[in-house]
Amino acid sequence: MSPPIAPVGWSRWLVPPAALAIHLSIGQAYAWSVFKPPLEDALGLSGTQSALPFQLGIVMLGLSAAFGGTLVERRGPRWAMTVALVCFSSGFLLSALGAATEQFWLIVLGYGFVGGIGLGIGYISPVSTLIKWFPDRPGMATGIAIMGFGGGALIASPWSAQMLESFGSDSSGIALAFLVHGLSYAVFMLLGVLLVRVPRPAGAPTAVEQAADGRPATPAGPQVSARQALRTPQFWLLWVVLCMNVTAGIGILEKAAPMITDFFADTPTPVSATAAAGFVALLSAANMAGRIGWSSTSDLIGRKNIYRVYLGAGVLMYALIALVGSSSKPLFVLCALVILSFYGGGFATIPAYLKDLFGTCQVGAIHGRLLTAWSTAGVLGPLIVNWIADRQEEAGKHGAELYGTSLFIMMGLLVVGFAANELVRPVHPSHHLDAVTPEKGTPDVGRRQQSEPA
């Protein structure tokens, strides 16, 4: 399947809706918790078991993005979106079969393994294409698409809950809900597959031409291959930056409802289950808004500066929650919303940060490899918060005391991420494509000497 070339006069503003069609669909992953209680009741599962499909899905997201990134770059966005459609929808269909036959391993295989591959390939499928279409505003462009992943749960959660209410929450009702999900998302994702286009490779357009027909300007700056990027300190520094930022955000996101309930359990105004659910919805909205808001801001103030905000202000927000959060409900909610906006913003800004450092040549493949930081953080963040809370409870503590230690650990991780961001420098010219021999992938000494200042 060859990448579809945009005809003359085709608007680049049609690419973000194509990307949104994919990301709004795969963003359903954040709504998995809706299926947990019905599955536990219908199949006799524990909470840990019912989380397995989601956990495996996130792991496969990182792995498939890392190993499939180069292939996505080579085959183009339409091929990648098609693979994502087939895998993600097939995952739901396998899960429907598993629920209907009460075989939980089929749900784990379908939603977690097969669907997780669709998550990873779908997540990175539009990134490099968007950056090539919007070299003038890469943060905004990727923010629009990745916003969809954060906002997918806002659609999927009530939709899934309504289906379970209509179809029933027994195994047959769950199976029917999975089936409807699989078929509906296939149709919606197909819109993105049909709509996406790549820029015309012929002659570099001028700024006037770009305004006339929507074509992007010629890519400028360094160009580094995905293989060579792994050999640079910049890649690994950004890996640490993303991992620390995501760990801090997902630690609150995964434990949001019980955390706010525990913080105010011993106060005159405890938080009800309904209010806790509303808090979770607010966090999802902040996650989504941060993806477009902060990433667009990065186009104005620069990528390093915006990560200084994410990581530095994140430390302050965690400190306020740890020290005075239990004394003020509005302050607790505000700080948590800011942290989750930084969490979403970090995801949306990282592709533009990679573009600034490594160029647009293989930015999708580089982004895919970097998403292994997400897989790590997806395990690390919830583990820190839950394990420490369990230990504190065993020690006889309760309320806000359950989270004090983990909050200070999160502050420390953000400081580590802040330091890593400060160490990021432009990539050395020896790693640029014009300084690397294609046969062995080693620096061409002569070209390197020419490119380096005297």
Side-chain angles (χ1 to χ4, degrees):
M1 182 182 294
S2 58
I5 306 298
V8 175
W10 196 82
S11 174
R12 63 178 180 167
W13 291 100
L14 292 174
V15 180
L20 271 174
I22 302 298
H23 275 245
L24 280 171
S25 299
I26 63 176
Q28 185 280 336
Y30 278 149
W32 173 253
S33 59
V34 173
F35 289 101
K36 280 172 61 66
L39 281 171
E40 290 166 15
D41 293 338
L43 303 182
L45 305 174
S46 66
T48 301
Q49 289 173 320
S50 66
L52 283 176
F54 172 77
Q55 290 174 319
L56 181 57
I58 295 300
V59 170
M60 291 308 301
L61 185 158
L63 293 177
S64 60
F67 289 104
T70 301
L71 196 58
V72 169
E73 286 288 329
R74 186 180 304 127
R75 297 290 184 87
R78 176 168 287 179
W79 176 87
M81 290 178 176
T82 301
V83 171
L85 183 160
V86 172
C87 290
F88 189 66
S89 296
S90 296
F92 270 113
L93 299 183
L94 279 172
S95 298
L97 179 61
T101 59
E102 299 188 358
Q103 297 293 316
F104 182 60
W105 69 270
L106 269 176
I107 299 176
V108 176
L109 174 67
Y111 190 92
F113 185 80
V114 178
I117 294 173
L119 287 177
I121 300 299
Y123 191 88
I124 64 173
S125 61
V127 169
S128 65
T129 303
L130 284 164
I131 288 176
K132 289 169 184 174
W133 274 111
F134 293 87
D136 52 331
R137 285 177 281 183
M140 179 213 68
T142 55
I144 290 174
I146 294 176
M147 172 186 70
F149 193 87
L154 293 180
I155 298 172
S157 292
W159 183 41
S160 300
Q162 183 59 50
M163 276 195 287
L164 290 171
E165 184 177 338
S166 301
F167 301 151
S169 57
D170 57 358
S171 58
S172 60
I174 296 171
L176 188 54
F178 281 152
L179 178 64
V180 172
H181 273 77
L183 298 177
S184 300
Y185 282 130
V187 173
F188 193 58
M189 293 172 78
L190 183 61
L191 297 177
V193 171
L194 297 176
L195 189 59
V196 72
R197 298 289 188 277
V198 297
R200 288 183 288 122
T206 64
V208 175
E209 288 176 317
Q210 179 176 332
D213 65 14
R215 290 182 295 174
T218 305
Q223 299 295 323
V224 182
S225 70
R227 177 180 296 180
Q228 200 67 20
L230 293 176
R231 301 174 182 175
T232 66
Q234 287 82 358
F235 176 88
W236 297 107
L237 287 170
L238 288 189
W239 193 98
V240 172
V241 167
L242 182 63
C243 186
M244 297 301 100
N245 189 61
V246 173
T247 299
I250 208 168
I252 280 189
L253 185 63
E254 190 272 342
K255 194 77 170 176
M259 181 180 287
I260 193 172
T261 302
D262 290 336
F263 254 78
F264 299 98
D266 299 327
T267 67
T269 56
V271 176
S272 66
T274 302
F279 175 62
V280 174
L282 279 177
L283 292 183
S284 297
N287 177 11
M288 181 176 66
R291 292 174 186 242
I292 181 63
W294 290 120
S295 60
S296 296
T297 303
S298 77
D299 289 332
L300 302 176
I301 69 174
R303 253 57 79 172
K304 176 174 278 193
N305 285 333
I306 200 68
Y307 272 95
R308 285 170 174 155
V309 174
Y310 298 157
L311 300 161
V315 172
L316 176 61
M317 294 300 104
Y318 265 112
L320 288 173
I321 291 176
L323 298 176
V324 295
S326 60
S327 63
S328 172
K329 215 175 285 184
L331 178 65
F332 179 94
V333 172
L334 177 62
C335 291
L337 291 177
V338 172
I339 290 172
L340 262 293
S341 76
F342 292 161
Y343 168 80
F347 276 123
T349 310
I350 203 68
Y353 208 162
L354 293 172
K355 174 260 181 187
D356 293 347
L357 291 170
F358 302 109
T360 59
C361 176
Q362 292 189 350
V363 68
I366 298 170
H367 183 223
R369 286 159 171 77
L370 196 76
L371 288 181
T372 54
W374 186 1
S375 295
T376 303
V379 175
L380 187 61
L383 180 64
I384 291 172
V385 176
N386 287 294
W387 187 85
I388 292 177
D390 289 343
R391 300 292 81 75
Q392 298 287 62
E393 189 172 13
E394 290 174 0
K397 296 183 179 182
H398 55 87
E401 295 177 333
L402 298 175
Y403 304 99
T405 301
S406 58
L407 292 175
F408 283 108
I409 290 176
M410 294 300 179
M411 290 168 60
L413 293 177
L414 288 174
V415 169
V416 171
F418 190 94
N421 183 55
E422 291 301 304
L423 293 174
V424 174
R425 298 289 185 272
V427 175
H428 194 278
S430 64
H431 296 289
H432 296 180
L433 280 176
D434 61 359
V436 176
T437 59
E439 293 81 8
K440 298 181 180 180
T442 56
D444 183 321
V445 177
R447 293 184 181 179
R448 181 178 62 189
Q449 290 174 344
Q450 293 175 11
S451 63
E452 290 179 353

